[in-house]
Amino acid sequence: MLSGVTIGQYYPGNSLIHKIDPRMKIILVLLYMVSVFICKKIIALSLSLTFIIAVLIIAKINLKVIIKGIKPIIVVVIITALLNLLYGTGEPLVKLWVFSITKNGIMNAVFMAFRVFLLVISGLMLTYTTTPTKLTDAIESLLKPLHTVFNMDVHSLAMTMTIALRFIPTLVEEVDKIMSAQKSRGADMETGGLIKRVKAIIPVLIPLFVSAFRRANELSYAMDCRCYQGGEGRTRMNRMHLVARDYISLTVTLLYFAAIICVKIFLNNVI
């Protein structure tokens, strides 16, 4: 049931997106996320959609993989859209008890749904095209100022974030196995009321926590056996260097960002 979840997985490839420096990739994703929040008009949102589609084509990521990646957040998107739909301002088009649906509410719901989808897809592209090792090194490199100013252990922080992201598919697969095992023993998890379904989840959560702690313990032993001592004095086999394609990617993204700003400033009265 949950085996199709692809969050946190890496898909090997030789595309331009795969080759971009991971530090630059994180910066570009953050710029894109900011641009999505800036979008207030259909023109700007269409521009953001066109940009991410172009990235998907360049990265050569199968559309089915993207659809599997956004499936888990569909419920969140629907709830968010409904909240924006029912709390819109303006002249009511439809009255539902104490709630009213307005034109402004419909626009907000559509915009919010598209924003969430675009944000999730941009985050997926980062993990799909970057190995966990490179992602850890990139996060550590970008967080170095925190180590210099506040003496924070940025290496452990980056390692923890990457391991948590990497183990999402593993834990999802574990949940699927546990649920299948419980169903084979006669457990009913898909019928009944809310309280009954919540109670049915308990036999899944307990084995899941036990399995998660066991995997964490095994990972800890594996790191100790390899004499892992953290980031202090640690060297890297491959050092990251910014090259021409990284600067070109940054330039293209900045041009896109400038276009979003221009739409916001000069086309404020246009739909």
Side-chain angles (χ1 to χ4, degrees), residues 8-71:
Q9 293 185 5
Y10 168 70
Y11 288 86
N14 196 36
S15 68
L16 176 63
I17 306 298
H18 284 81
K19 294 178 180 178
I20 294 176
D21 187 282
R23 296 169 297 176
M24 182 63 73
K25 216 179 293 185
I26 292 174
I27 293 172
L28 298 181
V29 169
L30 291 176
L31 280 173
Y32 180 78
M33 288 182 172
V34 172
S35 73
V36 170
F37 279 111
I38 291 175
C39 293
K40 301 292 184 181
K41 301 294 180 180
I42 293 178
I43 297 175
L45 198 62
S46 302
L47 188 59
S48 296
L49 181 61
T50 303
F51 185 84
I52 199 66
I53 289 174
V55 172
L56 291 174
I57 293 173
I58 296 172
K60 300 176 182 177
I61 300 293
N62 196 312
L63 184 60
K64 292 181 180 179
V65 175
I66 300 297
I67 293 174
K68 285 182 180 179
I70 62 178
K71 269 185 181 180

Side-chain angles (χ1 to χ4, degrees), residues 59-102:
K60 300 176 182 177
I61 300 293
N62 196 312
L63 184 60
K64 292 181 180 179
V65 175
I66 300 297
I67 293 174
K68 285 182 180 179
I70 62 178
K71 269 185 181 180
I73 55 96
I74 288 179
V75 175
V76 177
V77 173
I78 293 173
I79 294 173
T80 305
L82 285 175
L83 290 174
N84 283 271
L85 179 66
L86 298 175
Y87 289 96
T89 58
E91 188 68 25
L93 299 176
V94 179
K95 198 79 173 177
L96 298 172
W97 190 39
V98 296
F99 304 105
S100 59
I101 298 176
T102 64

